[in-house]
Amino acid sequence: MQSLDQPLDAIIQSKRKQRQPNRRQRGSRPQSAKQAAGVAQPEPAVAPAQAVAAQVHVGDKIIVSNLPEDVNEQQIKELFHTTVGVVRSVNLSYNAQGKSKGIATIQFQRAEFATAAYQQYNKRLIDGS
């Protein structure tokens, strides 16, 4: 137990001295029990960067923007259903006055349909407008 009669600098210095023997040298790593016993550990099957890439989830939704104000959800659903695949739902965003913001979220039955819609319509004009 530390005495509080000491100046703060002295307490900090004594704490540092107490911790120093426990510090490891740079570059050294603690060995597991298996490594210390000489048991070889298998290499990971997938590199860390590849493991992260494999975990990326391809979703079944896309967001379409810059839609004309007069387009409704049924028209959007019909377009994507006939050109891409089965559409589960379409949600058109509206402002406080009930006017379309020109942004729709489209959820497809399968992720492949969302990918196809993205590839087919990304940065493209629909109906020449």
Side-chain angles (χ1 to χ4, degrees), residues 49-117:
Q50 291 171 334
V52 171
Q55 294 174 0
V56 174
H57 174 68
V58 177
D60 58 353
K61 292 182 184 178
I62 63 167
I63 296 174
V64 180
S65 58
N66 294 326
L67 295 169
E69 292 177 6
D70 61 340
V71 172
N72 63 36
E73 293 171 345
Q74 184 58 38
Q75 291 169 324
I76 296 168
K77 186 172 186 172
E78 185 179 317
L79 171 71
F80 283 97
H81 182 78
T82 57
T83 61
V84 179
V86 180
V87 175
R88 190 176 291 173
S89 66
V90 175
N91 292 313
L92 197 54
S93 298
Y94 297 94
N95 64 16
Q97 291 75 32
K99 191 175 177 182
S100 172
K101 291 182 178 181
I103 301 171
T105 303
I106 304 158
Q107 183 176 17
F108 292 91
Q109 188 170 3
R110 296 178 25 197
E112 296 85 36
F113 296 148
T115 302

Coordinates of all heavy atoms in Angstrom, one line a residue, residues 49-117:
A49 N -7.4 -10.9 -44.7 CA -8.1 -10.0 -45.7 C -9.1 -10.8 -46.5 O -10.2 -10.3 -46.8 CB -7.1 -9.3 -46.6
Q50 N -8.7 -12.0 -46.9 CA -9.7 -12.8 -47.6 C -10.9 -13.2 -46.7 O -12.0 -13.4 -47.2 CB -9.0 -14.1 -48.1 CG -7.9 -13.8 -49.2 CD -7.1 -15.0 -49.5 OE1 -6.9 -15.9 -48.7 NE2 -6.6 -15.0 -50.7
A51 N -10.6 -13.5 -45.5 CA -11.7 -13.9 -44.5 C -12.7 -12.7 -44.4 O -13.9 -12.9 -44.4 CB -11.2 -14.2 -43.2
V52 N -12.2 -11.5 -44.4 CA -13.2 -10.3 -44.3 C -13.9 -10.2 -45.6 O -15.2 -10.0 -45.6 CB -12.4 -9.0 -44.0 CG1 -13.3 -7.8 -44.1 CG2 -11.7 -9.1 -42.6
A53 N -13.3 -10.4 -46.7 CA -14.0 -10.3 -48.0 C -15.0 -11.4 -48.1 O -16.1 -11.2 -48.7 CB -13.0 -10.4 -49.1
A54 N -14.8 -12.6 -47.6 CA -15.7 -13.7 -47.7 C -17.0 -13.4 -46.8 O -18.0 -13.9 -47.1 CB -15.1 -15.0 -47.3
Q55 N -16.8 -12.5 -45.8 CA -17.9 -12.3 -44.9 C -18.8 -11.1 -45.4 O -19.8 -10.8 -44.8 CB -17.4 -11.9 -43.5 CG -16.7 -13.1 -42.8 CD -16.1 -12.7 -41.5 OE1 -16.2 -11.6 -41.1 NE2 -15.4 -13.7 -40.9
V56 N -18.5 -10.5 -46.5 CA -19.3 -9.4 -47.0 C -20.6 -9.9 -47.4 O -20.7 -10.8 -48.2 CB -18.5 -8.6 -48.1 CG1 -19.4 -7.6 -48.7 CG2 -17.3 -8.0 -47.6
H57 N -21.6 -9.3 -46.9 CA -23.0 -9.8 -47.2 C -23.5 -9.0 -48.4 O -23.5 -7.8 -48.4 CB -23.9 -9.6 -46.0 CG -25.3 -9.9 -46.3 ND1 -25.7 -11.2 -46.6 CD2 -26.4 -9.1 -46.4 CE1 -27.1 -11.2 -46.8 NE2 -27.5 -10.0 -46.7
V58 N -23.9 -9.7 -49.4 CA -24.6 -9.1 -50.6 C -26.1 -9.1 -50.2 O -26.7 -10.1 -50.0 CB -24.3 -9.9 -51.9 CG1 -25.1 -9.3 -53.0 CG2 -22.8 -10.0 -52.1
G59 N -26.6 -7.9 -50.2 CA -28.0 -7.8 -49.7 C -29.0 -8.0 -50.9 O -28.7 -8.1 -52.0
D60 N -30.3 -8.0 -50.5 CA -31.3 -8.2 -51.4 C -32.1 -6.9 -51.7 O -33.2 -6.9 -52.2 CB -32.3 -9.3 -50.9 CG -32.9 -8.9 -49.6 OD1 -32.5 -8.0 -48.9 OD2 -33.8 -9.7 -49.2
K61 N -31.5 -5.7 -51.2 CA -32.1 -4.4 -51.4 C -31.3 -3.5 -52.2 O -30.0 -3.6 -52.2 CB -32.4 -3.7 -50.1 CG -33.4 -4.4 -49.2 CD -33.6 -3.6 -47.9 CE -34.5 -4.3 -47.0 NZ -34.6 -3.6 -45.7
I62 N -31.9 -2.6 -53.0 CA -31.2 -1.5 -53.6 C -32.0 -0.2 -53.4 O -33.2 -0.3 -53.0 CB -31.1 -1.8 -55.2 CG1 -32.4 -1.8 -55.8 CG2 -30.3 -3.0 -55.5 CD1 -32.4 -1.7 -57.4
I63 N -31.3 0.9 -53.5 CA -31.9 2.2 -53.4 C -31.8 2.9 -54.8 O -30.7 3.0 -55.3 CB -31.3 3.0 -52.3 CG1 -31.5 2.4 -51.0 CG2 -31.8 4.4 -52.3 CD1 -30.7 3.0 -49.8
V64 N -33.0 3.3 -55.2 CA -33.0 4.0 -56.5 C -33.3 5.5 -56.2 O -34.2 5.8 -55.4 CB -34.1 3.4 -57.4 CG1 -34.2 4.1 -58.8 CG2 -33.8 1.9 -57.6
S65 N -32.6 6.4 -56.8 CA -32.9 7.8 -56.6 C -33.0 8.6 -57.9 O -32.9 8.0 -59.0 CB -31.7 8.4 -55.8 OG -30.5 8.3 -56.5
N66 N -33.4 9.9 -57.8 CA -33.7 10.8 -58.9 C -34.9 10.3 -59.7 O -34.9 10.4 -60.9 CB -32.4 10.9 -59.8 CG -31.3 11.6 -59.1 OD1 -31.5 12.5 -58.2 ND2 -30.1 11.2 -59.4
L67 N -35.8 9.7 -59.0 CA -37.1 9.3 -59.7 C -38.0 10.5 -59.9 O -38.0 11.4 -59.1 CB -37.8 8.2 -58.9 CG -37.1 6.9 -58.7 CD1 -37.8 6.1 -57.7 CD2 -37.0 6.2 -60.0
P68 N -38.7 10.5 -61.0 CA -39.7 11.6 -61.2 C -40.8 11.6 -60.1 O -41.1 10.5 -59.5 CB -40.4 11.3 -62.5 CG -39.5 10.3 -63.2 CD -38.7 9.6 -62.1
E69 N -41.3 12.7 -59.7 CA -42.3 12.9 -58.6 C -43.6 12.1 -58.9 O -44.2 11.6 -58.0 CB -42.6 14.3 -58.4 CG -41.4 15.1 -57.9 CD -41.8 16.6 -57.7 OE1 -43.0 17.0 -57.9 OE2 -40.9 17.4 -57.4
D70 N -43.9 11.9 -60.2 CA -45.2 11.2 -60.5 C -45.1 9.7 -60.5 O -46.1 9.0 -60.7 CB -45.7 11.8 -61.8 CG -44.8 11.5 -63.0 OD1 -43.6 11.3 -62.8 OD2 -45.3 11.6 -64.1
V71 N -43.9 9.1 -60.3 CA -43.8 7.7 -60.3 C -44.3 7.1 -59.0 O -44.0 7.6 -57.9 CB -42.3 7.3 -60.5 CG1 -42.1 5.8 -60.4 CG2 -41.8 7.7 -61.9
N72 N -45.1 6.0 -59.1 CA -45.6 5.4 -57.8 C -44.9 4.0 -57.6 O -44.2 3.5 -58.5 CB -47.1 5.3 -57.9 CG -47.6 4.4 -59.0 OD1 -47.0 3.4 -59.3 ND2 -48.7 4.8 -59.6
E73 N -45.2 3.5 -56.4 CA -44.6 2.2 -56.0 C -44.9 1.1 -57.0 O -44.1 0.2 -57.3 CB -45.0 1.9 -54.6 CG -44.3 2.8 -53.6 CD -44.9 2.7 -52.2 OE1 -45.9 2.0 -52.0 OE2 -44.3 3.2 -51.3
Q74 N -46.1 1.0 -57.5 CA -46.6 0.0 -58.3 C -45.8 0.0 -59.7 O -45.4 -1.0 -60.2 CB -48.1 0.0 -58.6 CG -48.6 -1.1 -59.5 CD -48.4 -2.5 -58.8 OE1 -48.5 -2.6 -57.6 NE2 -48.1 -3.4 -59.7
Q75 N -45.6 1.2 -60.2 CA -44.8 1.3 -61.4 C -43.4 0.8 -61.3 O -42.8 0.2 -62.1 CB -44.8 2.8 -61.9 CG -46.2 3.2 -62.4 CD -46.2 4.7 -62.6 OE1 -45.6 5.5 -61.9 NE2 -46.9 5.1 -63.7
I76 N -42.8 1.2 -60.1 CA -41.4 0.7 -59.8 C -41.3 -0.8 -59.7 O -40.5 -1.4 -60.3 CB -40.9 1.4 -58.6 CG1 -40.8 2.9 -58.7 CG2 -39.5 0.8 -58.2 CD1 -40.6 3.7 -57.5
K77 N -42.3 -1.3 -59.0 CA -42.3 -2.8 -58.8 C -42.5 -3.5 -60.1 O -41.8 -4.5 -60.4 CB -43.5 -3.1 -57.8 CG -43.5 -4.6 -57.5 CD -44.5 -4.9 -56.4 CE -44.5 -6.3 -56.0 NZ -45.3 -6.6 -54.8
E78 N -43.4 -3.0 -61.0 CA -43.6 -3.6 -62.3 C -42.4 -3.6 -63.1 O -42.0 -4.6 -63.8 CB -44.8 -2.9 -63.0 CG -45.2 -3.5 -64.3 CD -46.4 -2.8 -64.9 OE1 -47.3 -2.4 -64.2 OE2 -46.3 -2.6 -66.1
L79 N -41.7 -2.4 -63.2 CA -40.5 -2.3 -64.0 C -39.4 -3.3 -63.5 O -38.9 -4.1 -64.4 CB -39.9 -0.9 -63.9 CG -38.5 -0.7 -64.5 CD1 -38.6 -0.8 -66.0 CD2 -37.9 0.6 -64.0
F80 N -39.1 -3.4 -62.2 CA -38.0 -4.3 -61.8 C -38.5 -5.7 -61.8 O -37.6 -6.6 -62.1 CB -37.6 -3.8 -60.4 CG -36.7 -2.6 -60.4 CD1 -37.2 -1.4 -60.2 CD2 -35.3 -2.8 -60.7 CE1 -36.4 -0.3 -60.2 CE2 -34.5 -1.6 -60.8 CZ -35.0 -0.4 -60.5
H81 N -39.7 -6.0 -61.6 CA -40.2 -7.4 -61.7 C -40.1 -7.9 -63.1 O -39.7 -9.1 -63.3 CB -41.7 -7.5 -61.2 CG -42.2 -8.9 -61.2 ND1 -41.9 -9.8 -60.3 CD2 -43.0 -9.5 -62.1 CE1 -42.5 -10.9 -60.5 NE2 -43.2 -10.8 -61.6
T82 N -40.4 -7.1 -64.1 CA -40.4 -7.6 -65.5 C -39.0 -7.6 -66.1 O -38.7 -8.4 -66.9 CB -41.3 -6.7 -66.4 OG1 -40.8 -5.4 -66.3 CG2 -42.7 -6.8 -66.1
T83 N -38.1 -6.7 -65.6 CA -36.7 -6.7 -66.2 C -35.7 -7.4 -65.4 O -34.6 -7.7 -65.9 CB -36.3 -5.2 -66.4 OG1 -36.2 -4.5 -65.1 CG2 -37.2 -4.5 -67.3
V84 N -35.9 -7.6 -64.1 CA -34.8 -8.2 -63.3 C -35.3 -9.5 -62.6 O -34.7 -10.5 -62.8 CB -34.4 -7.2 -62.2 CG1 -33.3 -7.8 -61.3 CG2 -33.9 -5.9 -62.8
G85 N -36.3 -9.4 -61.8 CA -36.7 -10.6 -61.0 C -37.8 -10.3 -60.0 O -38.3 -9.1 -60.0
V86 N -38.2 -11.2 -59.2 CA -39.3 -11.1 -58.3 C -39.0 -10.0 -57.2 O -37.9 -10.1 -56.5 CB -39.6 -12.4 -57.6 CG1 -40.7 -12.3 -56.6 CG2 -39.9 -13.5 -58.6
V87 N -39.9 -9.0 -57.1 CA -39.7 -8.0 -56.1 C -40.6 -8.3 -54.9 O -41.7 -8.6 -55.0 CB -40.1 -6.6 -56.8 CG1 -40.1 -5.5 -55.7 CG2 -39.3 -6.3 -57.9
R88 N -40.0 -8.2 -53.7 CA -40.7 -8.5 -52.5 C -41.4 -7.2 -52.0 O -42.6 -7.3 -51.7 CB -39.7 -8.9 -51.4 CG -40.4 -9.5 -50.2 CD -39.4 -10.0 -49.2 NE -38.8 -11.2 -49.7 CZ -37.8 -11.8 -49.1 NH1 -37.2 -11.3 -48.0 NH2 -37.3 -12.9 -49.6
S89 N -40.8 -6.1 -52.1 CA -41.5 -4.8 -51.7 C -40.8 -3.6 -52.3 O -39.6 -3.7 -52.6 CB -41.5 -4.7 -50.1 OG -40.1 -4.5 -49.6
V90 N -41.6 -2.5 -52.3 CA -41.1 -1.2 -52.8 C -41.5 -0.2 -51.8 O -42.7 -0.1 -51.5 CB -41.6 -0.9 -54.2 CG1 -41.1 0.5 -54.6 CG2 -41.1 -1.9 -55.2
N91 N -40.6 0.6 -51.3 CA -41.0 1.7 -50.4 C -40.4 3.0 -51.0 O -39.2 3.2 -51.1 CB -40.3 1.5 -49.0 CG -41.0 0.3 -48.3 OD1 -42.2 0.2 -48.3 ND2 -40.1 -0.5 -47.7
L92 N -41.4 3.9 -51.3 CA -41.1 5.2 -51.9 C -41.1 6.2 -50.7 O -41.9 6.2 -49.9 CB -42.1 5.6 -52.9 CG -41.9 6.7 -53.9 CD1 -40.6 6.4 -54.7 CD2 -43.0 6.8 -54.9
S93 N -40.1 7.0 -50.7 CA -39.9 8.0 -49.6 C -40.7 9.3 -50.0 O -40.7 9.8 -51.1 CB -38.5 8.4 -49.4 OG -37.7 7.3 -49.0
Y94 N -41.4 9.8 -49.0 CA -42.2 11.1 -49.1 C -41.7 12.1 -48.1 O -41.3 11.8 -47.0 CB -43.7 10.8 -48.9 CG -44.2 9.8 -50.0 CD1 -44.3 8.4 -49.7 CD2 -44.7 10.2 -51.2 CE1 -44.8 7.5 -50.6 CE2 -45.2 9.3 -52.1 CZ -45.2 8.0 -51.8 OH -45.7 7.1 -52.8
N95 N -41.9 13.4 -48.5 CA -41.6 14.5 -47.5 C -42.8 14.7 -46.7 O -43.8 14.1 -46.8 CB -41.1 15.7 -48.3 CG -42.2 16.3 -49.2 OD1 -43.3 16.1 -49.1 ND2 -41.7 17.2 -50.1
A96 N -42.7 15.7 -45.8 CA -43.8 16.0 -44.8 C -45.1 16.5 -45.5 O -46.2 16.3 -45.0 CB -43.3 17.1 -43.9
Q97 N -45.0 17.0 -46.7 CA -46.2 17.4 -47.5 C -46.8 16.3 -48.3 O -47.7 16.5 -49.0 CB -45.8 18.6 -48.4 CG -45.5 19.9 -47.7 CD -44.1 19.9 -47.1 OE1 -43.2 19.3 -47.6 NE2 -44.0 20.6 -45.9
G98 N -46.2 15.1 -48.2 CA -46.7 13.9 -49.0 C -46.2 13.9 -50.4 O -46.7 13.1 -51.2
K99 N -45.2 14.7 -50.7 CA -44.7 14.7 -52.1 C -43.5 13.7 -52.1 O -42.7 13.6 -51.2 CB -44.2 16.1 -52.4 CG -43.8 16.4 -53.8 CD -43.5 17.9 -53.9 CE -43.1 18.2 -55.3 NZ -42.7 19.6 -55.4
S100 N -43.4 13.0 -53.2 CA -42.3 12.0 -53.4 C -40.9 12.7 -53.4 O -40.7 13.7 -54.0 CB -42.5 11.2 -54.7 OG -41.3 10.4 -55.0
K101 N -40.0 12.1 -52.7 CA -38.6 12.6 -52.7 C -37.8 12.1 -53.9 O -36.7 12.5 -54.1 CB -37.9 12.1 -51.4 CG -38.4 12.8 -50.1 CD -37.6 12.3 -48.9 CE -38.0 12.9 -47.6 NZ -37.2 12.4 -46.5
G102 N -38.4 11.1 -54.6 CA -37.7 10.5 -55.7 C -36.8 9.5 -55.4 O -35.8 9.1 -56.1
I103 N -36.9 8.9 -54.2 CA -36.0 7.8 -53.7 C -36.9 6.6 -53.3 O -37.9 6.7 -52.6 CB -35.2 8.3 -52.4 CG1 -34.4 9.5 -52.8 CG2 -34.4 7.2 -51.9 CD1 -33.8 10.2 -51.6
A104 N -36.5 5.4 -53.8 CA -37.2 4.2 -53.5 C -36.3 3.1 -53.0 O -35.1 3.0 -53.5 CB -38.0 3.7 -54.7
T105 N -36.7 2.4 -52.1 CA -36.0 1.2 -51.6 C -36.7 0.0 -52.2 O -37.9 -0.2 -51.9 CB -35.9 1.1 -50.1 OG1 -35.3 2.3 -49.6 CG2 -35.1 -0.1 -49.6
I106 N -36.0 -0.9 -52.9 CA -36.6 -2.0 -53.5 C -36.0 -3.3 -52.9 O -34.7 -3.4 -52.9 CB -36.4 -2.0 -55.0 CG1 -36.9 -0.7 -55.6 CG2 -37.0 -3.2 -55.7 CD1 -36.3 -0.3 -56.9
Q107 N -36.8 -4.2 -52.4 CA -36.3 -5.4 -51.8 C -36.7 -6.5 -52.7 O -37.9 -6.7 -53.1 CB -36.9 -5.7 -50.4 CG -36.3 -6.9 -49.8 CD -36.8 -7.1 -48.4 OE1 -37.7 -6.5 -47.9 NE2 -36.1 -8.0 -47.7
F108 N -35.7 -7.3 -53.1 CA -36.0 -8.4 -54.0 C -36.1 -9.7 -53.3 O -35.7 -9.8 -52.1 CB -34.8 -8.5 -55.1 CG -34.8 -7.4 -56.0 CD1 -34.0 -6.3 -55.8 CD2 -35.5 -7.4 -57.2 CE1 -34.0 -5.2 -56.6 CE2 -35.5 -6.4 -58.1 CZ -34.7 -5.2 -57.8
Q109 N -36.6 -10.7 -53.9 CA -36.8 -12.0 -53.3 C -35.4 -12.7 -53.1 O -35.2 -13.4 -52.1 CB -37.7 -12.9 -54.1 CG -38.0 -14.2 -53.4 CD -39.1 -15.0 -54.2 OE1 -39.6 -14.6 -55.2 NE2 -39.5 -16.1 -53.6
R110 N -34.5 -12.4 -54.0 CA -33.2 -13.0 -53.9 C -32.1 -11.9 -54.1 O -32.3 -11.0 -54.9 CB -33.0 -14.1 -55.0 CG -33.9 -15.3 -54.8 CD -33.9 -16.4 -55.8 NE -32.7 -16.5 -56.5 CZ -32.6 -17.2 -57.7 NH1 -33.6 -17.7 -58.2 NH2 -31.4 -17.3 -58.3
A111 N -30.9 -12.1 -53.5 CA -29.8 -11.2 -53.6 C -29.3 -11.1 -55.0 O -28.9 -10.0 -55.5 CB -28.7 -11.6 -52.7
E112 N -29.4 -12.2 -55.8 CA -29.0 -12.1 -57.2 C -29.8 -11.1 -58.0 O -29.2 -10.5 -58.9 CB -29.1 -13.5 -57.8 CG -28.2 -14.6 -57.2 CD -28.8 -15.2 -56.0 OE1 -30.1 -15.4 -56.0 OE2 -28.1 -15.5 -55.1
F113 N -31.0 -11.0 -57.7 CA -31.9 -10.0 -58.4 C -31.4 -8.6 -58.1 O -31.4 -7.7 -59.0 CB -33.3 -10.2 -58.1 CG -33.9 -11.5 -58.5 CD1 -34.9 -12.1 -57.7 CD2 -33.5 -12.2 -59.6 CE1 -35.5 -13.3 -58.1 CE2 -34.0 -13.4 -60.0 CZ -35.0 -14.0 -59.2
A114 N -31.1 -8.3 -56.9 CA -30.6 -7.0 -56.5 C -29.3 -6.7 -57.2 O -29.1 -5.6 -57.7 CB -30.4 -6.9 -55.0
T115 N -28.4 -7.7 -57.2 CA -27.1 -7.5 -57.9 C -27.4 -7.2 -59.4 O -26.8 -6.3 -60.0 CB -26.2 -8.7 -57.8 OG1 -26.0 -8.9 -56.4 CG2 -24.9 -8.5 -58.5
A116 N -28.3 -7.9 -60.0 CA -28.6 -7.7 -61.4 C -29.2 -6.4 -61.7 O -28.9 -5.7 -62.7 CB -29.5 -8.8 -61.9
A117 N -30.1 -5.9 -60.8 CA -30.7 -4.6 -60.9 C -29.6 -3.5 -60.8 O -29.6 -2.5 -61.6 CB -31.8 -4.4 -59.9

